Amino acid sequence: MLFQQSDNRRHPRPPRERRKQRSITPTRTPPLPLTSENAVIKLGKTTASKGNVGGRPSVVDDDKLAVARARHAKGDSVTAIAKALGIGRATLYRHLGESA
C-alpha cells in the first residue's frame, strides 16, 4: 500500500464527443474554390461587358509615356525622368520595356 495511486485528480478531463460529419447531398454542388479563373467566370459577364478589367489603374498614362520616351531618346537618365514625372524608376523601366 505504499505506492498506491490516488484516484482524486485535480481536473479530470471529460470524454470528448465526436461531431457528426455533414455529408454533401447529391443535389447540391460544392462551391467553387476562390481563384482568379472562377472570379473571372463569376464576374466576367457583368464587369467585362461594361469595359472594366479590374486591378489598380496605371500611374503612367499615354502622355507621360510619350514624354518619357522622348527624353529617354535624347539621352536623359531614367532616374531624372522618373523624378520629373513623379513616378518610380522601376515603373518607368517597366513601361519603357513594354514600348520597346
Side-chain angles (χ1 to χ4, degrees):
M1 291 201 93
L2 291 174
F3 297 107
Q4 188 178 16
Q5 288 183 343
S6 64
D7 215 15
N8 54 358
R9 296 182 191 158
R10 292 182 99 181
H11 300 287
R13 189 178 283 183
R16 295 181 82 181
E17 296 180 15
R18 291 184 175 244
R19 291 184 178 176
K20 292 182 181 179
Q21 290 185 350
R22 297 190 336 181
S23 62
I24 299 176
T25 58
T27 57
R28 187 174 146 202
T29 59
L32 294 173
L34 188 60
T35 60
S36 59
E37 294 89 14
N38 292 332
V40 169
I41 291 170
K42 289 179 182 178
L43 301 176
K45 296 175 185 174
T46 57
T47 58
S49 62
K50 294 178 185 176
N52 298 335
V53 244
R56 185 180 174 126
S58 180
V59 174
V60 182
D61 55 353
D62 294 334
D63 297 333
K64 283 185 181 181
L65 188 56
V67 170
R69 280 188 201 143
R71 288 185 66 177
H72 190 64
K74 284 183 190 175
D76 287 353
S77 70
V78 175
T79 305
I81 298 169
K83 276 187 181 180
L85 295 177
I87 58 176
R89 263 191 350 213
T91 305
L92 185 57
Y93 272 118
R94 185 171 55 245
H95 284 280
L96 286 175
E98 289 175 358
S99 64

